[in-house]
């Protein structure tokens, strides 16, 4: 019968919708305790205020107290907002929001552009 088939269709749709779950970004509560064991960005050489960040003065190490390594390409060539000592975890407040150092901007852009054939 038509009402019974419609009821089954509605029940199936609701079950499928419930099975999709929810989108959750970031670590789960179960992962929260192990975040410190992830890798992060640390300063490896003294950086004066206004100096540029480079692979020579940044390193990806454990523990995970600094910025995630995925941010490294966006940080290279940017300037330090203040003097930073070696061993300090990198955070967004240590990066000058004004942008990249002018001389290094072109080099960074060239690395991001695909090679022409």
């Amino acid at each position: 019968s038509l009402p019974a088939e419609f009821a089954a269709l509605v029940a199936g749709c609701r079950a499928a919708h419930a099975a999709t779950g929810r989108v959750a970004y970031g670590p789960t509560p179960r992962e929260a305790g192990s975040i410190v064991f992830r890798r992060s960005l640390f300063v490896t050489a003294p950086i004066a205020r206004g100096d540029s960040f480079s692979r020579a003065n940044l390193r990806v190490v454990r523990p995970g107290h600094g910025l995630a390594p995925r941010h490294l390409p966006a940080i290279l060539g940017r300037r330090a907002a203040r003097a930073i000592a070696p061993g300090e975890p990198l955070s967004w407040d240590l990066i000058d929001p004004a942008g990249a150092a002018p001389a290094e901007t072109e080099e960074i852009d060239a690395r991001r552009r695909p090679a022409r054939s």
Side-chain angles (χ1 to χ4, degrees):
S1 77
L2 194 55
E5 291 174 4
F6 185 68
L9 174 68
V10 170
C13 289
R14 288 186 177 150
H17 183 264
T20 58
R22 289 184 290 142
V23 174
Y25 298 101
T28 64
R30 190 172 168 189
E31 293 175 309
S34 64
I35 289 175
V36 71
F37 299 113
R38 293 181 180 178
R39 294 180 182 275
S40 65
L41 296 171
F42 273 74
V43 175
T44 58
I47 301 175
R49 182 176 187 261
D51 283 355
S52 297
F53 292 104
S54 67
R55 292 189 184 275
N57 57 23
L58 294 177
R59 189 164 183 191
V60 178
V61 297
R62 286 188 175 102
H65 298 298
L67 292 175
R70 68 175 180 210
H71 299 296
L72 183 61
I75 293 168
L76 292 175
R78 304 266 310 262
R79 294 180 184 263
R82 66 168 175 83
I84 309 169
E88 194 169 340
L90 192 62
S91 60
W92 289 115
D93 62 319
L94 298 176
I95 301 166
D96 188 355
E104 295 181 5
T105 304
E106 292 176 17
E107 179 185 332
I108 292 167
D109 290 341
R111 282 185 276 159
R112 289 185 181 160
R113 275 182 254 148
R116 294 183 182 176
S117 45

